[in-house]
Amino acid sequence: MEGNASVTLSLLSLGPEKKVMCYNEYFINGHVFYTEEYGQGRKTYNNGFCVKGSTSTEYEVVYYGKLEEIIELQYHSEHIRVFLFK
C-alpha cells in the first residue's frame, strides 16, 4: 500500500495536465447537476447547491449557490481525476 501512496503523491506533485474538460452536466451518486446556462429553458434541472461547512471559530455555516461551470482536471493518470464545481 505504501508504494501506491508514494506513486500517487508523485503524480499529484506534477500538477494537473494542461488539458481540461468542461461539462454542462454531471452525474454523481444518483444525482444529476446542470450548469445554470445549460438548464435554462428545460422543464426540470438542478443547478443549485447547498454545502455545509465550518469557519475558523468552528461554527457551522451553510453556503448556497448556482452551478456555473463543471471542470475536470486529470493528474497524469487516468485514475486521478478531480471535478470542480464553480
Side-chain angles (χ1 to χ4, degrees), residues 12-49:
L12 286 172
S13 71
L14 297 173
E17 293 183 6
K18 293 185 181 195
K19 179 183 80 171
V20 299
M21 297 291 292
C22 297
Y23 299 96
N24 292 321
E25 61 183 328
Y26 186 69
F27 180 79
I28 186 169
N29 297 333
H31 300 283
V32 179
F33 295 92
Y34 298 107
T35 60
E36 184 175 19
E37 182 180 346
Y38 183 75
Q40 288 180 351
R42 297 184 180 276
K43 290 182 181 180
T44 61
Y45 67 100
N46 182 7
N47 69 349
F49 63 90

Side-chain angles (χ1 to χ4, degrees), residues 61-78:
V61 178
V62 179
Y63 298 97
Y64 297 94
K66 290 191 176 186
L67 190 54
E68 296 174 13
E69 290 182 275
I70 304 169
I71 301 168
E72 176 190 9
L73 300 178
Q74 193 163 332
Y75 283 82
H76 303 281
S77 167
E78 291 184 20

